[in-house]
Short mmCIF file of all heavy atoms in Angstrom, two decimals:
data_model
loop_
_atom_site.label_atom_id
_atom_site.label_comp_id
_atom_site.label_asym_id
_atom_site.label_seq_id
_atom_site.Cartn_x
_atom_site.Cartn_y
_atom_site.Cartn_z
N GLU A 634 0.61 17.79 2.80
CA GLU A 634 0.60 18.55 4.12
C GLU A 634 1.84 19.54 4.01
O GLU A 634 2.94 19.09 3.75
CB GLU A 634 0.78 17.57 5.28
CG GLU A 634 1.11 18.14 6.62
CD GLU A 634 0.13 19.08 7.12
OE1 GLU A 634 -0.88 18.66 7.67
OE2 GLU A 634 0.30 20.33 6.96
N ASP A 635 1.49 20.84 4.21
CA ASP A 635 2.57 21.72 4.05
C ASP A 635 3.49 21.93 5.29
O ASP A 635 4.61 22.44 5.33
CB ASP A 635 2.06 23.19 3.65
CG ASP A 635 1.02 23.67 4.65
OD1 ASP A 635 0.15 22.95 5.11
OD2 ASP A 635 0.86 24.84 4.91
N GLU A 636 2.91 21.46 6.50
CA GLU A 636 3.81 21.56 7.72
C GLU A 636 4.67 20.31 7.78
O GLU A 636 4.22 19.10 7.96
CB GLU A 636 2.94 21.62 8.99
CG GLU A 636 2.35 22.93 9.12
CD GLU A 636 1.17 23.04 10.01
OE1 GLU A 636 1.47 22.91 11.33
OE2 GLU A 636 -0.02 23.07 9.66
N ASP A 678 -4.40 17.70 3.50
CA ASP A 678 -4.63 18.85 4.38
C ASP A 678 -5.45 19.80 3.58
O ASP A 678 -5.44 19.81 2.43
CB ASP A 678 -3.26 19.45 4.77
CG ASP A 678 -3.45 20.48 5.89
OD1 ASP A 678 -4.44 20.41 6.65
OD2 ASP A 678 -2.57 21.43 5.83
N ILE A 679 -6.19 20.68 4.30
CA ILE A 679 -7.03 21.70 3.60
C ILE A 679 -6.21 22.90 3.21
O ILE A 679 -6.28 23.29 1.99
CB ILE A 679 -8.31 22.04 4.36
CG1 ILE A 679 -9.21 20.58 4.37
CG2 ILE A 679 -9.14 23.01 3.68
CD1 ILE A 679 -10.42 20.75 5.26
N ILE A 680 -5.76 23.56 4.23
CA ILE A 680 -5.04 24.84 3.99
C ILE A 680 -3.63 24.59 3.51
O ILE A 680 -2.82 24.15 4.21
CB ILE A 680 -5.06 25.77 5.24
CG1 ILE A 680 -6.44 25.80 5.85
CG2 ILE A 680 -4.46 27.13 4.89
CD1 ILE A 680 -7.50 26.35 4.96
N LEU A 681 -3.42 24.73 2.26
CA LEU A 681 -2.19 24.48 1.64
C LEU A 681 -1.77 25.57 0.70
O LEU A 681 -2.53 26.24 0.15
CB LEU A 681 -2.34 23.19 0.65
CG LEU A 681 -2.59 21.78 1.30
CD1 LEU A 681 -3.02 20.91 0.24
CD2 LEU A 681 -1.31 21.34 1.90
N PRO A 682 -0.45 25.76 0.41
CA PRO A 682 0.07 26.74 -0.53
C PRO A 682 -0.41 26.39 -1.91
O PRO A 682 -0.47 25.17 -2.23
CB PRO A 682 1.56 26.76 -0.41
CG PRO A 682 1.87 25.95 0.79
CD PRO A 682 0.76 25.02 1.01
N LYS A 729 -7.41 17.95 13.38
CA LYS A 729 -6.14 18.23 13.99
C LYS A 729 -6.32 18.88 15.29
O LYS A 729 -7.26 19.70 15.53
CB LYS A 729 -5.33 19.22 13.02
CG LYS A 729 -4.81 18.60 11.75
CD LYS A 729 -4.24 19.75 11.03
CE LYS A 729 -3.30 19.30 9.87
NZ LYS A 729 -2.68 20.42 9.17
CA1 CA B 1250 -1.77 23.36 6.29
#
Side-chain angles (χ1 to χ4, degrees):
E634 164 63 79
D635 56 321
E636 287 166 73
D678 188 28
I679 293 173
I680 310 303
L681 290 164
K729 284 178 168 181

